[in-house]
Amino acid sequence: PSKAQVYFDSMEYLGSGAFGHVYKARHTLLERYYAVKVVCREEKSLREVGTLSELLHCNIVRYYTFWMEDSGQVIQSIFSSFSSRTSNNSSAKYLYIQMELCDTKTLKEWIEEKNTQSLQDSKRREEGLSIAQQIVSGVEYIHSKKHIHRDLKPENILFGLNGEVKIGDFGLVTRDDDDDDALMERTGQRGTTTYMAPEQKREKNYDRKVDIFPLGLIYFELLWKLSTVHERGAVWDDARSQKLPEEFSLTFPQENQIIESMLHEKPEDRPEASKLKAEMEMCAQTLNKQNTHQEDET
Ligand code: ATP
Ligand code: MG
Ligand code: MG
């Protein structure tokens, strides 16, 4: 039997990305649930493990261990497409990564859910800020360990089972001082570039500030209701060029200023995560004051 079969008594399919499949797995002896990500083993996937094993922070998906297997066929039907992709590679090995189990609802679904709700309410503003603050804390930590995430987008941001924000999917992470053609190639392959910093799309050399740009877009999306695909399309390109809707800047002046600074075309003009953390904390205090005022008045 495989290691997965020995240690886990159930494997239930959770989701897939471009590079791997993720399962909810129950550890037989510990009687606890984990997320197990199975990826076709390449040198690149080993980096994901290498990175994760160095990171321990409350806003980053916790990593426990990894192992290798000959088969990636946890569930036959799901893996048929996966193994055909690698069938010309006879010595294909699979990497199993055991991680903390998170909610199946990612930040992408959180945003979609908010956008179907009728009102642009103050609760969304507070929650949005809290989520942005937690992502920034995680990113500050990643940068302090000299890593760059490089793939920050709502679907890669998860929630822990207690609702805390957990940055996940470290498949594209690199060392801050690393320049590697293979990794650039992998970036180039990727379909979604909508959150990606402009210099990450066109240049080979970029730095940790590529993580600040997508965070600016995410923070905007957390606060601002974009109901239709059409509306999103119309607003998105402008936002990427630092032009946020006028109504947004009037409704959220302080947030608008922070987000604009994150969306600077030149990476060196974007703030460090540590500075953002301080600015968002000030923003939170202002919101708090406003709320207590309103409560006093009523
Ligand atoms: P990508 O194409 O984004 O690089 P990927 O193959 O690297 O994808 P992930 O993004 O890590 O895979 O995971 C794919 C999906 O599996 C996620 O969108 C999420 O729904 C689910 N998932 C990943 N990690 C976990 C986890 N720790 N707990 C619960 N679900 C998870
Ligand atoms: Mg992903
Ligand atoms: Mg990935």
Side-chain angles (χ1 to χ4, degrees), residues 116-172:
T116 59
Q117 289 167 7
S118 56
L119 270 172
Q120 184 83 47
D121 59 358
S122 62
K123 198 163 156 254
R124 177 165 178 170
R125 187 180 196 177
E126 272 168 46
E127 283 178 20
L129 175 59
S130 162
I131 291 172
Q133 283 182 298
Q134 293 177 67
I135 307 172
V136 167
S137 290
V139 170
E140 182 194 30
Y141 175 79
I142 294 167
H143 290 179
S144 77
K145 294 285 175 187
K146 298 273 177 277
H147 290 292
I148 311 175
H149 187 284
R150 307 201 301 168
D151 200 15
L152 290 172
K153 53 186 175 187
E155 60 190 280
N156 285 340
I157 294 168
L158 313 171
F159 292 99
L161 297 181
N162 296 318
E164 338 81 293
V165 173
K166 303 275 179 181
I167 302 175
D169 198 355
F170 282 75
L172 279 178

Side-chain angles (χ1 to χ4, degrees), residues 65-112:
T65 186
F66 81 96
W67 67 92
M68 232 75 94
E69 291 196 22
D70 288 329
S71 166
Q73 312 240 333
V74 178
I75 298 172
Q76 182 78 38
S77 59
I78 289 161
F79 272 87
S80 52
S81 64
F82 201 44
S83 44
S84 70
R85 224 190 62 182
T86 56
S87 58
N88 49 0
N89 182 356
S90 55
S91 62
K93 291 250 188 267
Y94 294 86
L95 188 63
Y96 284 63
I97 310 170
Q98 185 184 338
M99 300 175 290
E100 162 187 19
L101 179 69
C102 295
D103 204 327
T104 46
K105 192 177 97 181
T106 71
L107 190 59
K108 189 175 179 229
E109 283 83 37
W110 187 94
I111 292 168
E112 282 167 2

Side-chain angles (χ1 to χ4, degrees), residues 12-17 20-24 34-38 79 97 99 101:
E12 184 191 321
Y13 176 71
L14 279 181
S16 302
H21 302 292
V22 179
Y23 298 86
K24 173 181 173 177
Y34 294 89
V36 175
K37 182 169 175 175
V38 186
F79 272 87
I97 310 170
M99 300 175 290
L101 179 69

Side-chain angles (χ1 to χ4, degrees), residues 145-288:
K145 294 285 175 187
K146 298 273 177 277
H147 290 292
I148 311 175
H149 187 284
R150 307 201 301 168
D151 200 15
L152 290 172
K153 53 186 175 187
E155 60 190 280
N156 285 340
I157 294 168
L158 313 171
F159 292 99
L161 297 181
N162 296 318
E164 338 81 293
V165 173
K166 303 275 179 181
I167 302 175
D169 198 355
F170 282 75
L172 279 178
V173 169
T174 181
R175 295 290 300 185
D176 206 353
D177 46 17
D178 199 12
D179 67 325
D180 186 334
D181 292 339
L183 274 154
M184 266 309 284
E185 237 171 69
R186 189 167 170 182
T187 324
Q189 274 175 14
R190 307 175 56 75
T192 48
T193 52
T194 40
Y195 291 88
M196 206 178 266
E199 76 276 13
Q200 192 180 350
K201 283 187 183 178
R202 37 161 219 262
E203 282 158 40
K204 259 185 115 177
N205 288 316
Y206 48 76
D207 61 11
R208 61 187 178 278
K209 294 294 180 67
V210 297
D211 285 342
I212 303 298
F213 189 89
L215 256 177
L217 292 169
I218 292 170
Y219 189 20
F220 168 63
E221 225 183 349
L222 284 173
L223 299 174
W224 199 238
K225 181 172 166 171
L226 297 168
S227 319
T228 60
V229 179
H230 179 79
E231 194 183 351
R232 193 172 188 274
V235 171
W236 204 249
D237 284 346
D238 278 348
R240 286 188 58 95
S241 358
Q242 231 185 0
K243 288 191 284 286
L244 300 170
E246 201 189 335
E247 216 188 319
F248 177 80
S249 60
L250 294 172
T251 320
F252 304 115
Q254 210 171 345
E255 289 94 334
N256 183 72
Q257 214 179 355
I258 298 176
I259 295 169
E260 271 188 353
S261 75
M262 301 167 86
L263 296 176
H264 273 296
E265 160 93 29
K266 284 196 194 142
E268 62 270 29
D269 292 339
R270 294 174 211 145
E272 295 285 353
S274 49
K275 184 163 176 241
L276 277 174
K277 208 172 142 185
E279 281 174 355
M280 287 179 174
E281 184 49 46
M282 266 159 52
C283 196
Q285 282 171 17
T286 314
L287 289 191
N288 243 328

